[in-house]
């Protein structure tokens, strides 16, 4: 079992100090991580692709730039792992699916371009649930990802590879994507920090689409400071993503130490019902004590619509996915199965062979919900319900600045435990989908362990108020780590 | 329960080819998933959310100018091609 501290468990921020101070070169740093991956990832399967040559050569050029006295970004020379649903030019882009096995991306996503411009070194692509559809990373074409805290348990999904890689010390930071909780839930299960920004904060250009009105890219890191640092780099308007916001990006790092006295945190009983795991409940209640110790106030709020968010999420995401995944037809890229020589036959054979079972299930459900006779009853109603949820959550934020919830109903479950009924797996997202449906920013931070498994707590803020979210999370993190609670 | 015909109709729309076993299994799974999402039926939306709603965001447009493709020649990615043309099964029958 790999613990955070014995691993190369250093944060990007502390690595930046070592690099800037000349105590370590980027080549040495990247070499260490590559060695750790080679030694340890066989047991976890967190990477789909590791590129030693490319990353070492990049590290070398960054060391030269530093030696030449160039003014470098704090993230320069530091490795990052990228979830395999985000395009990196010249690297495979499989989305953990058979239908894209062998596909090499001809371009890089905007977020990757920004990180590379800051001097980061992409060391590889991480494993995930196929096309982002899953909460356990058991649906990957490349096999499941195991939890570094207990290899018989899931890492969570769909960004399981990114979460496990950070937790195991294979990379200091990683990028993931979150449609219904896919960054936050694995972050919670693996004991790391995960952020889903406000919808539109980060460009989706180069993020393979699963559900376009819900998807966002975000960082997975050891601590809140690193998450703030990374989000600052990847955020901002992008003319290539028409859903990206033109709002200015604040200096998240500078605002991190903003005082939190007087910030009010809302707690809804709907998140703390009887089905919640006891250990999770205790840790989250402990976090509320930590919040009070920091000078924040805790207030009870009501979110009675919460029980409808998960079903609404599955209507919308499957409907959107059925449309987005129609492009995988074997014609212009990816795998093609051409056995019966008709066009329709080609489509059906390619897709049936290429997609895994969960993806097929969701495409089927989405297609059904959008089909004649059912469209109004399910999809159209759910779109209206979504507007209603947004309205309700705005009302809730009239009284409080943040909403605190457990990230998941319990800690990491065992591999194979939730594969009998697809709905069992979906219930894992019960606390996370509301942020995607309403576009709110949300962060999961570790808040202790229960039965030796990490527990995560979630903070949600108003749209584009990542600053309050980060400063509160940073304060809580400090209080919890100090062991005062 | 969702009928076999219904499953086959949906599979056709989704361009998926299901085996007998898969049809049987997907019937059960679709039912489980539909039972779950049906909860939306219970939600009583306030009056003003019952009609069509307009989006809050407006569509951002860019200037209609030609820009270079940043991704190079994408035809290179094709599973099957002839020169710069995608090769596909015939879709037009010969008129005799």
């Amino acid at each position: 079992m790999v613990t955070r501290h014995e691993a190369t468990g250093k944060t990007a921020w502390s690595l930046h100090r070592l690099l800037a101070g000349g105590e370590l070169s980027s080549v040495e740093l990247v070499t260490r991580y590559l060695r750790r991956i080679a030694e340890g990832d066989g047991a976890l399967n967190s990477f789909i692709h590791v590129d030693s040559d490319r990353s070492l050569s990049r590290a070398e050029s960054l060391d030269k730039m530093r030696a030449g006295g160039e003014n470098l970004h704090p993230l320069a020379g530091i490795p990052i792992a990228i979830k395999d649903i985000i395009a990196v030019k010249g690297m495979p882009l499989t989305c953990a699916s058979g239908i894209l096995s062998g596909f090499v991306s001809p371009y890089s996503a905007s977020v990757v371009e920004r990180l590379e411009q800051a001097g980061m070194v992409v060391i590889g692509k991480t494993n995930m649930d196929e096309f982002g559809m899953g909460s356990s990373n058991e649906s990957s074409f490349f096999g499941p990802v195991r939890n570094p805290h207990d290899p018989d348990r899931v890492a969570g999904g769909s960004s399981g590879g990114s979460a496990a890689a950070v937790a195991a010390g294979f990379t200091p930071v990683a990028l993931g994507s979150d449609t219904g909780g896919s960054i936050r839930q694995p972050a919670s299960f693996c004991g790391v920090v995960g952020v889903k920004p406000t919808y539109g904060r980060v460009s989706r250009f180069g993020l393979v689409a699963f559900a376009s009105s819900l998807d966002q890219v975000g960082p997975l890191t050891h601590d809140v400071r690193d998450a703030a640092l990374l989000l600052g780099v990847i955020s901002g308007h992008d003319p290539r993503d028409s859903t990206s916001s033109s709002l200015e990006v604040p200096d998240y790092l500078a605002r991190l130490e903003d005082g939190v006295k007087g910030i009010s945190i809302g707690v809804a009983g709907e998140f703390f019902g009887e089905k919640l795991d006891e250990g999770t409940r205790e840790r989250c209640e402990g976090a509320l004590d930590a919040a009070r110790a920091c000078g924040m106030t805790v207030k009870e709020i009501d979110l009675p619509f919460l029980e409808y968010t998960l079903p609404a999420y599955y209507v919308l995401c499957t409907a959107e996915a059925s449309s987005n995944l129609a492009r995988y037809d074997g014609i212009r890229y990816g795998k093609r199965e051409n056995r019966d020589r008709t066009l329709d036959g080609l489509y059906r054979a390619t897709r049936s062979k290429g997609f895994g079972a969960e993806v097929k299930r969701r495409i089927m459900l989405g297609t059904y919900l959008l089909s004649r006779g059912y469209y109004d009853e399910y999809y159209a109603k759910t779109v209206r319900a979504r507007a209603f949820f947004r309205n309700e959550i705005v009302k809730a934020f009239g009284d409080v600045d943040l909403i605190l919830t457990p990230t998941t109903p319990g800690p990491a479950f065992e591999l194979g435990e939730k594969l009998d009924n697809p709905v069992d797996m979906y219930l894992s997202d019960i606390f996370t989908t509301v942020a995607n449906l309403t576009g709110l920013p949300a962060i999961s931070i570790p808040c202790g362990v229960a039965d030796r498994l990490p527990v995560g707590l979630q903070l949600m803020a108003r749209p584009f108020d990542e600053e309050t979210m980060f400063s509160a999370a940073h304060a809580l993190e400090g209080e919890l780590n100090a062991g005062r609670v | 329960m969702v009928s076999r015909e219904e499953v086959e109709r949906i599979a056709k729309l989704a361009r998926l080819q299901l085996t007998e076993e898969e049809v049987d299994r997907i019937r059960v799974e679709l039912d489980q998933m539909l039972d779950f999402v049906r909860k939306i039926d219970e939600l009583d939306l306030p009056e003003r959310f019952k009609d069509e709603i307009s989006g809050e965001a407006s569509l951002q447009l860019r200037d209609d100018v030609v820009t270079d493709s940043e991704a190079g020649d994408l035809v290179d990615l094709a599973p099957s091609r002839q020169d710069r043309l995608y090769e596909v099964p015939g879709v037009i029958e010969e008129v005799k």
Side-chain angles (χ1 to χ4, degrees):
Chain A
M1 194 180 81
V2 181
T3 65
R4 205 178 113 168
H5 299 287
E6 85 190 24
T8 321
K10 292 207 177 299
T11 62
W13 189 251
S14 60
L15 289 172
H16 143 63
R17 290 214 156 104
L18 295 175
L19 288 168
E23 290 174 57
L24 195 63
S25 72
S26 185
V27 168
E28 284 169 332
L29 184 62
V30 171
T31 303
R32 279 191 203 181
Y33 279 108
L34 289 172
R35 187 168 58 229
R36 287 197 61 78
I37 294 168
E39 286 168 359
D41 199 38
L44 299 181
N45 198 29
S46 64
F47 278 87
I48 288 177
H49 175 78
V50 179
D51 198 333
S52 318
D53 291 339
R54 186 191 199 265
S55 48
L56 284 169
S57 110
R58 230 180 107 63
E60 215 183 301
S61 21
L62 283 151
D63 282 334
K64 285 202 180 92
M65 280 160 62
R66 201 184 294 274
E70 276 191 51
N71 204 3
L72 297 176
H73 189 278
L75 288 170
I78 293 175
I80 184 165
I82 307 283
K83 184 179 183 180
D84 206 17
I85 197 169
I86 297 166
V88 178
K89 185 171 181 171
M91 284 197 187
L93 179 62
T94 67
C95 303
S97 179
I99 215 165
L100 284 175
S101 68
F103 178 79
V104 173
S105 183
Y107 73 108
S108 282
S110 298
V111 292
V112 171
E113 284 182 343
R114 287 172 190 229
L115 290 168
E116 289 194 316
Q117 210 150 34
M120 291 208 87
V121 179
V122 176
I123 45 166
K125 309 303 290 297
T126 53
N127 203 351
M128 50 181 281
D129 277 305
E130 189 180 358
F131 284 110
M133 302 184 197
S135 308
S136 65
N137 217 134
E138 291 175 285
S139 76
S140 165
F141 180 72
F142 300 101
V145 176
R146 291 164 185 275
N147 194 312
H149 295 269
D150 178 347
D152 291 328
R153 289 178 185 264
V154 302
S158 59
S159 309
S162 286
V166 173
F170 296 156
T171 181
V173 295
L175 276 195
S177 69
D178 190 308
T179 304
S182 289
I183 286 174
R184 296 160 285 153
Q185 186 252 34
S188 177
F189 280 5
C190 291
V192 298
V193 172
V195 177
K196 181 202 81 70
T198 309
Y199 184 83
R201 180 76 289 181
V202 176
S203 170
R204 291 182 299 111
F205 180 79
L207 169 68
V208 174
F210 157 18
S212 314
S213 77
L214 297 159
D215 294 339
Q216 273 291 281
V217 172
L220 289 101
T221 60
H222 283 300
D223 71 357
V224 176
R225 179 184 303 279
D226 274 5
L229 182 56
L230 249 88
L231 191 68
V233 173
I234 60 175
S235 294
H237 182 250
D238 182 3
R240 296 175 297 183
D241 175 1
S242 65
T243 63
S244 73
S245 166
S246 303
L247 284 179
E248 243 188 83
V249 183
D251 184 341
Y252 296 126
L253 209 59
R255 304 287 306 271
L256 208 56
E257 311 278 358
D258 278 2
V260 296
K261 270 198 172 58
I263 285 181
S264 84
I265 295 184
V267 172
E270 286 84 3
F271 287 106
F272 287 89
E274 37 176 59
K275 290 214 179 113
L276 186 64
D277 168 75
E278 270 318 300
T280 300
R281 186 196 303 277
E282 278 170 34
R283 296 281 78 75
C284 289
E285 284 174 354
L288 291 173
D289 291 333
R292 290 184 192 99
C294 293
M296 295 188 263
T297 58
V298 175
K299 213 176 160 173
E300 263 182 45
I301 58 171
D302 279 312
L303 293 173
F305 65 87
L306 191 73
E307 60 178 315
Y308 301 104
T309 54
L310 196 60
Y313 168 75
Y314 277 97
V315 171
L316 294 175
C317 82
T318 56
E320 292 187 22
S322 72
S323 173
N324 278 327
L325 270 64
R327 71 192 66 186
Y328 302 103
D329 57 11
I331 300 296
R332 290 155 298 146
Y333 46 75
K335 288 271 170 266
R336 175 191 287 204
E337 293 290 324
N338 202 8
R339 277 170 275 126
D340 92 348
R341 314 238 117 247
T342 66
L343 189 62
D344 193 61
L346 187 161
Y347 289 156
R348 298 184 81 168
T350 295
R351 292 161 63 78
S352 307
K353 179 130 197 270
F355 289 140
E358 180 61 30
V359 168
K360 284 184 195 170
R361 267 195 287 270
R362 295 204 195 189
I363 290 175
M364 291 287 287
L365 180 63
T367 307
Y368 179 96
L369 297 172
L370 288 173
S371 69
R372 188 175 54 209
Y374 301 108
Y375 180 93
D376 284 318
E377 184 184 340
Y378 291 104
Y379 181 75
K381 178 164 186 189
T382 304
V383 170
R384 293 194 282 270
R386 186 180 188 174
F388 169 67
F389 299 155
R390 279 202 161 110
N391 192 253
E392 292 296 289
I393 210 106
V394 164
K395 287 199 301 206
F397 277 106
D399 287 333
V400 297
D401 302 308
L402 294 167
I403 297 175
L404 186 152
T405 86
T407 306
T408 57
F413 44 87
E414 291 178 356
L415 286 154
E417 188 184 320
K418 295 199 190 271
L419 298 177
D420 289 329
N421 177 333
V423 177
D424 287 341
M425 187 70 79
Y426 301 163
L427 293 172
S428 192
D429 296 335
I430 207 163
F431 300 146
T432 47
T433 62
V434 61
N436 303 84
L437 288 166
T438 54
L440 304 180
I443 187 170
S444 177
I445 62 168
C447 82
V449 292
D451 289 328
R452 292 175 305 143
L453 292 171
V455 172
L457 87 81
Q458 175 179 235
L459 285 173
M460 297 187 278
R462 295 182 182 93
F464 299 102
D465 191 15
E466 279 83 352
E467 299 134 280
T468 304
M469 181 186 79
F470 278 135
S471 47
H474 177 68
L476 274 177
E477 176 188 66
E479 193 68 26
L480 291 168
N481 285 345
R484 283 191 283 265
V485 182
Chain B
M1 205 200 209
V2 180
S3 69
R4 287 196 127 250
E5 290 72 41
E6 192 103 72
V7 172
E8 276 158 15
R9 174 180 80 99
I10 298 298
K12 188 160 189 244
L13 286 173
R15 298 294 192 275
L16 290 171
Q17 187 74 51
L18 301 176
T19 63
E20 292 293 297
E21 259 174 20
E22 281 175 318
V23 172
D24 287 329
R25 201 188 57 225
I26 280 217
R27 280 182 76 196
V28 172
E29 289 168 347
L30 264 182
D31 255 21
Q32 288 164 335
M33 290 156 111
L34 284 167
D35 266 341
F36 175 64
V37 301
R38 233 167 241 135
K39 195 157 174 65
I40 281 289
D41 281 349
E42 292 171 27
L43 182 55
D44 211 355
L45 291 176
E47 238 8 82
R48 57 194 239 264
F49 293 102
K50 284 189 177 149
D51 294 319
E52 285 308 309
I53 37 149
S54 60
E56 298 125 7
S58 59
L59 187 62
Q60 289 189 36
L61 301 174
R62 64 177 173 85
D63 292 334
D64 188 9
V65 290
V66 174
T67 54
D68 287 330
S69 160
E70 293 142 8
D73 203 336
L74 298 175
V75 179
D76 290 334
L77 301 170
S80 181
R81 64 183 167 92
Q82 267 183 37
D83 301 320
R84 309 248 61 75
L85 303 173
Y86 291 103
E87 194 168 33
V88 297
V91 293
I92 299 167
E93 284 179 18
E94 281 187 38
V95 176
K96 295 214 167 60

